[in-house]
PDB file of all heavy atoms in Angstrom:
ATOM      1  N   ALA A 152      53.561 -22.948  24.815  1.00 87.00           N
ATOM      2  CA  ALA A 152      53.826 -23.371  23.437  1.00 87.00           C
ATOM      3  C   ALA A 152      52.643 -23.029  22.526  1.00 87.00           C
ATOM      4  O   ALA A 152      52.823 -22.654  21.372  1.00 87.00           O
ATOM      5  CB  ALA A 152      54.107 -24.867  23.407  1.00 87.00           C
ATOM      6  N   VAL A 153      51.419 -23.135  23.073  1.00 86.00           N
ATOM      7  CA  VAL A 153      50.239 -22.800  22.259  1.00 86.00           C
ATOM      8  C   VAL A 153      50.203 -21.297  21.993  1.00 86.00           C
ATOM      9  O   VAL A 153      49.976 -20.850  20.870  1.00 86.00           O
ATOM     10  CB  VAL A 153      48.937 -23.254  22.971  1.00 86.00           C
ATOM     11  CG1 VAL A 153      47.711 -22.790  22.181  1.00 86.00           C
ATOM     12  CG2 VAL A 153      48.910 -24.760  23.125  1.00 86.00           C
ATOM     13  N   VAL A 154      50.490 -20.519  23.047  1.00 86.00           N
ATOM     14  CA  VAL A 154      50.401 -19.062  22.911  1.00 86.00           C
ATOM     15  C   VAL A 154      51.484 -18.530  21.966  1.00 86.00           C
ATOM     16  O   VAL A 154      51.211 -17.680  21.114  1.00 86.00           O
ATOM     17  CB  VAL A 154      50.497 -18.381  24.297  1.00 86.00           C
ATOM     18  CG1 VAL A 154      50.601 -16.875  24.154  1.00 86.00           C
ATOM     19  CG2 VAL A 154      49.281 -18.744  25.141  1.00 86.00           C
ATOM     20  N   ASP A 155      52.731 -19.078  22.105  1.00 86.00           N
ATOM     21  CA  ASP A 155      53.783 -18.539  21.231  1.00 86.00           C
ATOM     22  C   ASP A 155      53.795 -19.197  19.846  1.00 86.00           C
ATOM     23  O   ASP A 155      54.612 -18.846  18.989  1.00 86.00           O
ATOM     24  CB  ASP A 155      55.163 -18.603  21.900  1.00 86.00           C
ATOM     25  CG  ASP A 155      55.671 -20.035  22.082  1.00 86.00           C
ATOM     26  OD1 ASP A 155      55.239 -20.913  21.329  1.00 86.00           O
ATOM     27  OD2 ASP A 155      56.504 -20.259  22.974  1.00 86.00           O
ATOM     28  N   GLY A 156      52.912 -20.158  19.637  1.00 82.00           N
ATOM     29  CA  GLY A 156      52.757 -20.736  18.298  1.00 82.00           C
ATOM     30  C   GLY A 156      53.671 -21.905  18.011  1.00 82.00           C
ATOM     31  O   GLY A 156      53.633 -22.479  16.927  1.00 82.00           O
ATOM     32  N   SER A 157      54.525 -22.278  18.994  1.00 83.00           N
ATOM     33  CA  SER A 157      55.465 -23.364  18.717  1.00 83.00           C
ATOM     34  C   SER A 157      54.794 -24.743  18.790  1.00 83.00           C
ATOM     35  O   SER A 157      55.348 -25.721  18.290  1.00 83.00           O
ATOM     36  CB  SER A 157      56.666 -23.306  19.668  1.00 83.00           C
ATOM     37  OG  SER A 157      56.240 -23.367  21.000  1.00 83.00           O
ATOM     38  N   ALA A 158      53.622 -24.811  19.433  1.00 81.00           N
ATOM     39  CA  ALA A 158      52.891 -26.079  19.428  1.00 81.00           C
ATOM     40  C   ALA A 158      52.134 -26.142  18.104  1.00 81.00           C
ATOM     41  O   ALA A 158      51.105 -25.501  17.939  1.00 81.00           O
ATOM     42  CB  ALA A 158      51.924 -26.146  20.596  1.00 81.00           C
ATOM     43  N   GLU A 159      52.676 -26.910  17.215  1.00 72.00           N
ATOM     44  CA  GLU A 159      52.212 -26.908  15.833  1.00 72.00           C
ATOM     45  C   GLU A 159      50.699 -27.119  15.720  1.00 72.00           C
ATOM     46  O   GLU A 159      50.168 -28.119  16.212  1.00 72.00           O
ATOM     47  CB  GLU A 159      52.945 -28.034  15.101  1.00 72.00           C
ATOM     48  CG  GLU A 159      52.993 -27.849  13.616  1.00 72.00           C
ATOM     49  CD  GLU A 159      53.697 -29.029  12.974  1.00 72.00           C
ATOM     50  OE1 GLU A 159      54.609 -29.583  13.613  1.00 72.00           O
ATOM     51  OE2 GLU A 159      53.322 -29.382  11.880  1.00 72.00           O
ATOM     52  N   ASP A 160      50.039 -26.171  15.096  1.00 77.00           N
ATOM     53  CA  ASP A 160      48.606 -26.288  14.784  1.00 77.00           C
ATOM     54  C   ASP A 160      47.696 -26.401  16.002  1.00 77.00           C
ATOM     55  O   ASP A 160      46.517 -26.664  15.861  1.00 77.00           O
ATOM     56  CB  ASP A 160      48.319 -27.514  13.893  1.00 77.00           C
ATOM     57  CG  ASP A 160      48.972 -27.369  12.546  1.00 77.00           C
ATOM     58  OD1 ASP A 160      49.226 -26.219  12.152  1.00 77.00           O
ATOM     59  OD2 ASP A 160      49.230 -28.400  11.917  1.00 77.00           O
ATOM     60  N   LEU A 161      48.251 -26.260  17.187  1.00 82.00           N
ATOM     61  CA  LEU A 161      47.407 -26.437  18.372  1.00 82.00           C
ATOM     62  C   LEU A 161      46.811 -25.086  18.776  1.00 82.00           C
ATOM     63  O   LEU A 161      47.519 -24.085  18.859  1.00 82.00           O
ATOM     64  CB  LEU A 161      48.260 -26.998  19.518  1.00 82.00           C
ATOM     65  CG  LEU A 161      47.512 -27.705  20.643  1.00 82.00           C
ATOM     66  CD1 LEU A 161      46.757 -28.909  20.113  1.00 82.00           C
ATOM     67  CD2 LEU A 161      48.481 -28.153  21.730  1.00 82.00           C
ATOM     68  N   THR A 162      45.500 -25.052  18.996  1.00 83.00           N
ATOM     69  CA  THR A 162      44.839 -23.806  19.404  1.00 83.00           C
ATOM     70  C   THR A 162      44.089 -24.048  20.707  1.00 83.00           C
ATOM     71  O   THR A 162      43.928 -25.195  21.139  1.00 83.00           O
ATOM     72  CB  THR A 162      43.825 -23.326  18.349  1.00 83.00           C
ATOM     73  OG1 THR A 162      42.744 -24.257  18.329  1.00 83.00           O
ATOM     74  CG2 THR A 162      44.447 -23.212  16.977  1.00 83.00           C
ATOM     75  N   CYS A 163      43.637 -22.963  21.312  1.00 84.00           N
ATOM     76  CA  CYS A 163      42.898 -23.069  22.581  1.00 84.00           C
ATOM     77  C   CYS A 163      41.735 -24.047  22.423  1.00 84.00           C
ATOM     78  O   CYS A 163      41.447 -24.864  23.292  1.00 84.00           O
ATOM     79  CB  CYS A 163      42.342 -21.709  22.999  1.00 84.00           C
ATOM     80  SG  CYS A 163      43.541 -20.384  22.971  1.00 84.00           S
ATOM     81  N   GLY A 164      41.050 -23.936  21.274  1.00 81.00           N
ATOM     82  CA  GLY A 164      39.845 -24.723  21.051  1.00 81.00           C
ATOM     83  C   GLY A 164      40.091 -26.215  20.992  1.00 81.00           C
ATOM     84  O   GLY A 164      39.177 -27.001  21.227  1.00 81.00           O
ATOM     85  N   ASP A 165      41.331 -26.639  20.694  1.00 79.00           N
ATOM     86  CA  ASP A 165      41.594 -28.077  20.622  1.00 79.00           C
ATOM     87  C   ASP A 165      41.382 -28.762  21.973  1.00 79.00           C
ATOM     88  O   ASP A 165      40.974 -29.912  22.028  1.00 79.00           O
ATOM     89  CB  ASP A 165      43.033 -28.335  20.129  1.00 79.00           C
ATOM     90  CG  ASP A 165      43.166 -28.012  18.650  1.00 79.00           C
ATOM     91  OD1 ASP A 165      42.188 -28.249  17.920  1.00 79.00           O
ATOM     92  OD2 ASP A 165      44.214 -27.493  18.238  1.00 79.00           O
TER      93      ASP A 165
END
Side-chain angles (χ1 to χ4, degrees):
Chain A
V153 175
V154 172
D155 68 25
S157 58
E159 202 182 327
D160 295 336
L161 201 61
T162 68
C163 310
D165 288 325

